[in-house]
């Protein structure tokens, strides 16, 4: 898909999301947070749900966790404009509670469409909620972090700790910093993979 077409489709989706009434979060939100970034991004980062700052500004990861995410991106010589950043939910759950399964289910088609339009090389799930969405029943984030998974349709998934969880925990923080540094090599490896082999893939496999 050409860039202009991607931009147009993402803008239409943004508009649709801004009017969404599919779940009760529509009543409590200030603004929807559809996600943003490069329509041609090779990487989509997917967090959990908007927090207070995101709900106020309509921008994903614009608070303390976002500042840390920016630093992590900088450590691999990337900027947020080079990637696409989204969440499993487009609206803030009250008091930042965990997303409910019904909310995730209602919101998932928006994320699916964003992924389809952008066509990234890899999806990096941040934290347990986002990881569970893409790798249901496979295991907890501690077990799955920094492992590369292949899935038909979506291609590759690389789970990492959530920056907010790592922000106040020294061990998780160091691990996330080190894991992040693996991203450029993982991308290189993916690009070197022969595409026909991917299409044959039927099941989820550990890469
Ligand atoms: N945490 C998330 O999961 N997403 C955001 O956008 C901000 C904080």
């Amino acid at each position: 898909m050409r860039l202009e077409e991607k931009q147009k489709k993402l803008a239409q989706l943004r508009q649709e999301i801004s009017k969404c009434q599919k779940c009760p979060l529509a009543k409590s939100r200030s603004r929807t947070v559809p996600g943003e970034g490069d329509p041609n991004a090779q990487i989509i980062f997917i967090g959990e749900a908007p927090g207070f700052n995101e709900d106020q500004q309509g921008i994903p990861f614009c608070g303390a966790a976002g500042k840390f995410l920016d630093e992590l991106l900088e450590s691999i010589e990337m900027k947020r404009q080079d990637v696409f950043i989204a969440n499993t939910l487009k609206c803030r759950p009250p008091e930042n509670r965990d997303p409910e399964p019904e909310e995730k289910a209602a919101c998932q088609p928006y994320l699916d469409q964003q992924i389809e339009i952008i066509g990234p090389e890899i999806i990096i799930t941040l934290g347990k909620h986002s990881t569970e969405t893409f790798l249901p029943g496979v295991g907890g984030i501690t077990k799955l972090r920094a492992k590369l998974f292949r899935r038909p349709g979506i291609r590759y998934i690389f789970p990492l700790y959530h920056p907010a969880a790592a922000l106040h925990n020294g061990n998780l923080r160091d691990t996330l910093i080190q894991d992040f540094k693996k991203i450029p090599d993982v991308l290189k490896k993916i690009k070197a993979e022969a595409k026909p082999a991917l299409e044959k893939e039927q099941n989820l496999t550990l890469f």
Side-chain angles (χ1 to χ4, degrees), residues 16-91:
E16 196 186 320
I17 292 168
S18 73
K19 297 185 196 131
C20 182
Q21 299 290 330
K22 286 195 213 160
C23 85
L25 296 182
K27 295 199 173 54
S28 55
R29 73 179 177 226
S30 309
R31 298 179 68 162
T32 52
V33 185
E36 63 175 28
D38 182 359
N40 277 330
Q42 295 183 344
I43 307 176
I44 300 188
F45 286 92
I46 302 179
E48 181 179 323
F52 175 81
N53 293 293
E54 290 77 21
D55 177 68
Q56 294 292 306
Q57 297 183 42
I59 297 169
F61 282 92
C62 63
K67 191 167 173 286
F68 185 30
L69 182 58
D70 287 343
E71 286 168 21
L72 290 163
L73 284 167
E74 218 171 280
S75 76
I76 54 167
E77 283 161 29
M78 292 189 111
K79 294 192 171 57
R80 62 164 63 210
Q81 298 93 302
D82 303 327
V83 299
F84 196 88
I85 302 176
N87 283 301
T88 57
L89 295 189
K90 309 300 187 198
C91 296

Side-chain angles (χ1 to χ4, degrees), residues 105-126:
C107 226
Q108 182 71 32
Y110 295 133
L111 196 50
D112 290 343
Q113 287 177 76
Q114 288 174 317
I115 294 166
E116 198 183 323
I117 296 166
I118 296 164
E121 297 285 347
I122 187 168
I123 289 174
I124 300 188
T125 54
L126 300 171

